[in-house]
Amino acid sequence: MRRQLRSRRAPVFPHSYRYRLDDQDEVNQNYLADEEEEAEEEARVMVVPNLEEEEEEEEEEEEVKEEEEKDEEEGQGQPTGNTWWRKLQIMNEYLWDPEKRMSLARTGQSWSLILVIYFFFYASLAAVITLCMYTLFLTIGPYMPTFTERVKPPGVMIRPFAHSLNFNFNVSEPDTWQHYVISLNGFLQGYNDSLQEEMNVDCPPGQYFIQDGNEDEDKKACQFKRSFLKNCSGLEDPTFGYSTGQPCILLKMNRIVGFRPELGDPVKVSCKVQRGDENDIRSINYYPESASFDLRYYPYYGKMTHVNYTSPLVAMHFTDVVKNQAVPVQCQLKGKGIINDVINDRFVGRVIFTLNIET
Amino acid sequence: MGQKTPRIYSVELNGAKDMKQTDKGDGKDKYRGLQDNCLELGKNQRKEHLTKEIDLDDHKLSNKELETKYHTNIVTGLSSTQAAELLARDGPNALSPPKETPEIIKFLKQMVGGFSILLWAGAILCWIAYGIQYSNDKSSSLDNVYLGTVLALVVILTGIFAYYQEAKSTNIMASFSKMIPQQALVIRDSEKKIIPAEQLVVGDIVEIKGGDQIPADIRLLFAQGCKVDNSSLTGESEPQSRSCEFTHDDPLETKNIGFYSTTCLEGTATGMVINTGDRTIIGQIASLASGVGNEKTPIAIEIQHFVHIVAGVAISIGVLFFIIAVSMKYRVLDSIIFLIGIIVANVPEGLLATVTVTLSLTAKRMAKKNCLVKNLEAVETLGSTSIICSDKTGTLTQNRMTVAHLWFDNQIFMADTSEDQLKQTFDQSSGTWASLSKIIALCNRAEFRPGQERVPIMKRVVVGDASETALLKFSEVVLGDVMEIRKRNHKVAEIPFNSTNKFQLSIHKTDDPIDKRFLMVMKGAPEKVLEKCSTIMVNGQEQPLNNSTAEAFYTAYMELGGLGERVLGFCHLYLPADEFPETYSFDVDAMNFPMSDFCFVGLLSMIDPPRSTVPDAITKCRSAGIKVIMVTGDHPITAKAIAKSVGIISANSETVEDIAKRLNIAVEQVNKQDAKAAVVTGTELKDMSEDQLDEVLTSYPEIVFARTSPQQKLIIVEGCQRQDAVVAVTGDGVNDSPALKKADIGIAMGIAGSDAAKNAADMVLLDDNFASIVTGVEEGRLIFDNLKKTIAYTLTKNIAELCPFLIYIIVGVPLPLGTITILFIDLGTDIVPSIALAYEKAESDIMNRKPRHKKKDRLVNEPLVVYSYLHIGIMQSLGAFLVYFTVYAQEGFRPSTLINLRVEWEKDSVNNLEDSYGQEWTRYQRKYLEWTGYTAFFIGIMVQQIADLIIRKTRRNSIFQQGLFRNKVIWVGIASQIIIALILSYGLGSITALNFTMLRSPQRQMLLLVVTIQASVLVCGCAPRHSHLGVR
């Protein structure tokens, strides 16, 4: 194939013809030597045969390509002004050679062969990796995570959602706080008493709700009713106190599979002014009044089996806050096994937000 | 040896612009470098000026014509005003120093070469990205600033490293300037004045005496016993006499020209300045040497090529994914950060430094073998050398005359010409030999310096000229204590050798107490000696000299002469005791003794014999596919003889002339294709066109160039380079420096070489031995093979570093591998192993294959890239992803959850992101997990790179053939990899900027280990152990 290629092109570059012949012999010799070597190696190492063929193909491709490069270079070296046109021609011929029915110096057969080989190569690679992956994942149960120390200690989240945790609103302008109300309402839909009563069980407070049995058994969940939140439930005051300048903010602890607060010492929530005058917040009401997450909501068994699990909430009702000024508030979780002073993570065991209530 | 380690390491890894120009092969640009030169000549003129022979005809002119030409007067000299005018016109008589590139430019060049531009772009993009982030959100993380700073640091440190290397490079002009004489005695306004030599102008009449340096090129007008040492110019070390007669057409050969910067050894002379400053012969050579631009070394070209490939891949993938990212509705800022990541992943930051270190390791190794490498890249150049243009004297030969053949009793005997000459094995029983040896010992003025009894004979210092030294040593070896013999045979009279007589004669009392006759011994040019003989000694008996014996003499003479040897004839005469009693007083001037009827004893021929290691080295070169061409200033016959004896012209090949002689036909009738060898003289070369020279170079595998001038050496080198050959040139004189500079690799002789030659060369042979070159070639080839391994090793992980970004962009998983972590792989764990590959031993006999073809056998070729990127690289990334997914799954994020999680994952406001188990993660917890992922991915790549290292050990052989433990440094490399990885994942876990976290759980490590070993076994197992992929 290459031989023909050369002799056909030779008249175009007569000045380099002699070279070409010299080179060719050399190349052929090398080529023969390689084939011998290859044969030896085949006997010696026993490699998958398709890889072998593939390599041969590649080598051929490479040689032909280099020929092309050389041609191009020589084209460039020609003093005639037509070099660009000639280059283009060569390029074109390289891309699609109608005479030999070759594209990129390969025949259709060669191309399909190489594609098939690569297909098999990658397919077998994918198969092996999939197998590995499958075996690995057999060691990782779908119900319980293997490790939990990265997600412990629990983080904290508050509702309603506020951009960069700044609660800015004007009591007299409902537009400024309406979205908080909508957000809270939406969030509390899952806590509706009717829904909770229908789905979940009422379990005894003050103790873990431990459900033994197989990992894959469905677990029951304890009720957390919206009504537990009293004034912040939105049932009595549909504006969650925003219309009176006494906003409710709900605090939720991040779920962690298997997390258990200290027995008899539930996790408590306490809020205070983060920086500045402590008297900026004169009173906060917590609902449930214990300001704690009851032990019955723990442990969490993971979402596969603990489908209806309802995260317990603590609502903070800021009933008397200084108006018309930004008040930074920090709410912390307190309890054993709770960390609330990680420097880099401002959401582990605490949350900081600002209240700026205008009248 | 220790303190003589290579001083100048310089790797030029950039300079793309130069490259392009050279590649175009545009002949007009060839002398680009000359533009820097101070000669105010046009480009084309300068080209002529370079390659044409020195155009000087002042030596042919008579004194009168000279006076008119230079408007001067031989007696009164120039007038001061004239001189001032001429000085203003021509400038001072000094070599102009080459224009120096300012240091800061050199430094900046290093800062922007190679991959630096890409990395700078990355760093700047990082800062821009941070700037944009900061303007949007004052609390944005400093990650991008760190990254940008690290990138900039990498570039700056690499740049400083490279600059430091280059700063040590040579300054050619320095050694020339040392040669400039300070003062000159000149006649101006009819007065003798001493002026600084710099103020000499054309037409000045100067006087020189023994010991002076000649202040400019001068045409001698008067000389008395003047001898000059032209060695700095021509390489010939014998003093040459100077007179005012025009003796040769060639200005370099004629006796009435004295050259600038050469030394006048003895005598006095007056001369007219005909050329000053840069226009002097030495000035022209100096400008040739500095004008011949430093050609890019093959390895620099290869690295350039490699940089282009990698940069091409980096930029095209980067831009492609930038477009993809933008069209996938990513923010432009994010897309830019992706772009940076892709560039960083693709660029092997540590590779160029690794290559430099690898080269310098080899350079050190070569220095131990007496090849001092000045320019690091030359290490490899020697390996790809396909033509060696070797000087004869000193390189191929021992550079001392030695007795090679003897002829007596109608027989030619061979003498031992090896370096140590312990014994001479020819038949010494004949009576003729007894007489001959006596003549050799007695008719000799050379003496050993006293106090050298313990020194081997061949190494003793001798006072006397080269031939006499050879004879003295020869007789010392054969006869024993020559001084004692001379003492016993007291010398009563002597006529020393001179060029008119062409013989040397001495008269001795013999040591035979009975025989009271005087013995007269004579040696000299054979034909002169024979003239004085009437008898010839055969087997110890005197026989009358008749036609047949004379014919035998001539045959032997021609034969020895044909071997290129210097032949001497020896004869003696016992003076009859009655005519010359013991008390007879001999008068050499009156010649009161007979000068005919001598008895011819024998012939003896001497040659500067080849070094004993050379023929073997030449054979090695042959089998390594390297063509050795001899280029010498010596006579064609001698050159050819030496060429034959060392194998440059092999035993069974003939030149056209040989064939003509054998077939007894005219030279023109010989079919040129029958001749394998050619001896081309400088005169023939002068008349050849470029094409003719090319034809000579291509059609004869064995070529000797004799009687060549410096310019012709340059032409020959250029001719070889036109054949796409990588040319090595050896040389020692100033005259060789342009060719040394022009050659792909110039090799200077460490002992015999002049400073200029050493400065122009890339390599210095400390032992002046050609065989050292062969060692160098071997090392060079080995380093090329090993560099290929290093690059293959380094490139492989690029895909594993790149894939995380691509998957991150396309699939939207949390980023598997951070940019800084990539830098830790490239500049941390991978550095020592990739250097360790340089210690790999040769796989097969690398001296049995052809030199690599400059344009075909690339350092980085398609199979290597395909194999590294698409085979091993893909496997590596799959393995690393396996680890990545495992870590995430163990922590709670199963792969199905990860897909398209990116946006939520990276939102700072989302602090309760749910994983596959329903657990909720804060942003920082996720970030920490992400770093754990980085660490896991990093460990994954690291472990697989260990496997990769082991499979890269070999290219052709299987690992077991090559031996797992032969290269101990590999294991040091592996240990360093593991230690660095451990330090990074355990020791620095708390530094957030590094993005490493501890992999704490023992279980996880077990698992990781299992997975990675599994993956590496996979890599090993699947890796096709083949010569084709990645090895060409």
Side-chain angles (χ1 to χ4, degrees), chain B residues 317-337:
Chain B
I317 295 186
V319 169
L320 180 71
F321 275 85
F322 183 77
I323 295 167
I324 290 180
V326 169
S327 56
M328 280 175 76
K329 307 261 160 56
Y330 281 101
R331 288 184 303 155
V332 175
L333 189 69
D334 286 343
S335 309
I336 289 175
I337 292 171

Side-chain angles (χ1 to χ4, degrees), chain B residues 34-65:
Chain B
L34 278 179
Q35 289 160 9
D36 297 338
N37 201 288
C38 287
L39 283 180
E40 289 154 24
L41 289 169
K43 199 197 270 175
N44 290 337
Q45 273 174 303
R46 190 165 297 129
K47 184 188 174 183
E48 276 169 30
H49 164 88
L50 273 181
T51 40
K52 81 184 168 191
E53 280 299 304
I54 299 151
D55 181 23
L56 195 67
D57 57 0
D58 291 333
H59 54 296
K60 297 175 190 163
L61 303 177
S62 71
N63 289 3
K64 275 274 157 263
E65 286 168 315

Side-chain angles (χ1 to χ4, degrees), chain A residues 327-341:
Chain A
V327 182
V329 186
Q330 170 167 272
C331 291
Q332 285 181 315
L333 299 184
K334 299 224 161 114
K336 253 202 170 158
I338 296 290
I339 296 172
N340 54 22
D341 53 359

Side-chain angles (χ1 to χ4, degrees), chain A residues 41 45-55 58 118 121, chain B residues 866-868 870-872 875 951-952 954-958 1018-1031:
Chain A
E41 277 200 29
V45 193
M46 288 299 287
V47 183
V48 196
N50 63 357
L51 287 173
E52 186 114 8
E53 279 170 43
E54 174 188 0
E55 285 152 19
E58 259 169 21
Y118 263 88
F121 174 64
Chain B
V866 167
Y867 183 57
S868 296
L870 295 186
H871 293 201
I872 304 288
M875 286 188 220
I951 64 171
R952 295 294 184 189
T954 58
R955 284 168 59 201
R956 292 153 198 272
N957 296 353
S958 86
L1018 189 80
V1019 171
C1020 273
C1022 293
R1025 302 232 44 72
H1026 268 282
S1027 53
H1028 303 89
L1029 279 171
V1031 295

